[in-house]
């Protein structure tokens, strides 16, 4: 399992919800990052980081050009406070560049247009205040991001693996993702069997039979 190809690793995690990962670890979880659009499938991709150091957001444009198809752009916009660095037009660019998703540690804007586009954008919240053309210091590409929430600190690096769905976001180093995968697959399979048994009984008005059968086998 430790020798699994990176693409096979990402494909395997597409079958696993983030809540399954969260049953096994809190490492790499980004607590206040949520999907702006309903996200009914698990999205997985390699991370390319951007760290903003001022109102100058030109580094985001550079990252959009340099990113490989299926990458996940992770933007550290903590320095901006309530200002949004991501909106509809940059979402259009992300779609054109074939990115898998964008994570903003900060604010996004143009929420209605982003929902219309249907592209997966994850952010702390939404703001109507945005950045503008600035001559201040440019941000950094592929720079390590230190994400702090309460007592939790998570380091995010380019090349890490991001897993995202409607329940939240995990970003894990490749080695950690490899180590967790077997237990995640085992947990996912067991929970899916239980859920499907319940759902089948529920949709056929057979819950009493299901639970009576379960109690008889204890």
């Amino acid at each position: 399992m430790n020798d699994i190809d990176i693409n096979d690793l990402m494909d395997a995690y597409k079958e696993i919800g983030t809540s399954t990962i969260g049953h096994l670890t809190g490492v790499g979880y980004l607590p206040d990052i949520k999907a702006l659009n309903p996200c009914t499938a698990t999205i997985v991709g390699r991370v390319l980081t951007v760290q903003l150091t001022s109102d100058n957001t030109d580094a985001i444009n550079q990252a959009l050009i340099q990113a490989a198809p299926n990458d996940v752009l992770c933007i550290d916009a903590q320095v901006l406070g309530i200002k949004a660095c991501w909106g509809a037009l940059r979402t259009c660019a992300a779609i054109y560049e074939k990115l898998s998703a964008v994570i903003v540690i900060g604010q996004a804007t143009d929420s209605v247009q982003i929902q219309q586009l249907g592209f997966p954008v994850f952010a702390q919240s939404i703001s109507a205040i945005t950045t503008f053309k600035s001559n201040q210091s440019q941000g950094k590409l592929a720079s390590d991001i230190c994400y702090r929430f309460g007592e939790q600190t998570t380091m995010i690096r380019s090349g890490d693996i991001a897993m995202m769905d409607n329940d939240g976001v995990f970003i894990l180093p490749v080695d950690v993702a490899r180590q967790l995968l077997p237990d995640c697959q085992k947990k996912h399979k067991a929970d899916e069997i239980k859920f499907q048994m319940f759902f089948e009984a529920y949709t056929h008005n057979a819950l009493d039979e299901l639970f009576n059968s379960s109690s008889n086998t204890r």
Side-chain angles (χ1 to χ4, degrees):
M1 183 61 67
N2 287 339
D3 295 328
I4 186 171
D5 176 79
I6 188 70
N7 292 316
D8 291 339
L9 178 69
M10 291 191 292
D11 285 344
Y13 271 103
K14 290 177 183 177
E15 304 299 321
I16 297 168
T18 59
S19 63
T20 298
I21 303 171
H23 273 288
L24 301 173
T25 185
V27 173
Y29 178 56
L30 309 188
D32 61 341
I33 306 296
K34 306 300 178 187
L36 298 191
N37 302 318
C39 187
T40 58
T42 304
I43 299 165
V44 183
R46 296 199 74 167
V47 168
L48 174 61
T49 63
V50 179
Q51 185 179 44
L52 300 181
T53 56
S54 73
D55 280 1
N56 188 333
T57 62
D58 288 347
I60 297 176
N61 299 334
Q62 296 172 21
L64 284 165
I65 295 169
Q66 293 188 20
N70 303 316
D71 276 356
V72 173
L73 195 59
C74 183
I75 304 166
D76 179 1
Q78 296 174 89
V79 71
L80 298 181
I82 65 169
K83 293 181 180 179
C85 67
W86 190 271
L89 295 182
R90 280 183 168 152
T91 302
C92 293
I95 293 171
Y96 177 77
E97 299 294 346
K98 298 182 173 60
L99 271 62
S100 289
V102 170
I103 300 167
V104 183
I105 304 176
Q107 319 299 312
T109 194
D110 301 331
S111 58
V112 171
Q113 291 90 338
I114 289 174
Q115 289 173 6
Q116 289 176 330
L117 290 166
F119 181 81
V121 176
F122 297 76
Q124 286 178 315
S125 58
I126 297 167
S127 175
I129 307 298
T130 66
T131 57
F132 47 86
K133 195 66 178 176
S134 171
N135 293 321
Q136 296 186 55
S137 61
Q138 289 194 21
K140 305 172 184 176
L141 267 64
S143 177
D144 293 353
I145 295 173
C146 183
Y147 169 87
R148 292 187 177 89
F149 186 87
E151 297 181 355
Q152 178 178 331
T153 299
T154 300
M155 294 302 300
I156 302 169
R157 299 177 173 88
S158 286
D160 287 349
I161 305 298
M163 305 87 161
M164 304 147 284
D165 60 19
N166 229 43
D167 294 329
V169 177
F170 276 87
I171 297 181
L172 299 173
V174 174
D175 288 346
V176 174
R178 285 192 176 113
Q179 292 166 10
L180 281 173
L181 181 59
D183 288 339
C184 285
Q185 290 175 318
K186 182 178 179 181
K187 174 70 174 169
H188 169 75
K189 183 177 180 180
D191 287 352
E192 187 66 15
I193 290 171
K194 292 176 183 177
F195 178 79
Q196 291 301 331
M197 286 178 61
F198 177 88
F199 191 75
E200 181 73 14
Y202 175 62
T203 54
H204 290 85
N205 198 27
L207 289 179
D208 288 341
E209 291 91 333
L210 173 66
F211 282 94
N212 287 335
S213 174
S214 298
S215 62
N216 291 334
T217 58
R218 291 175 185 169

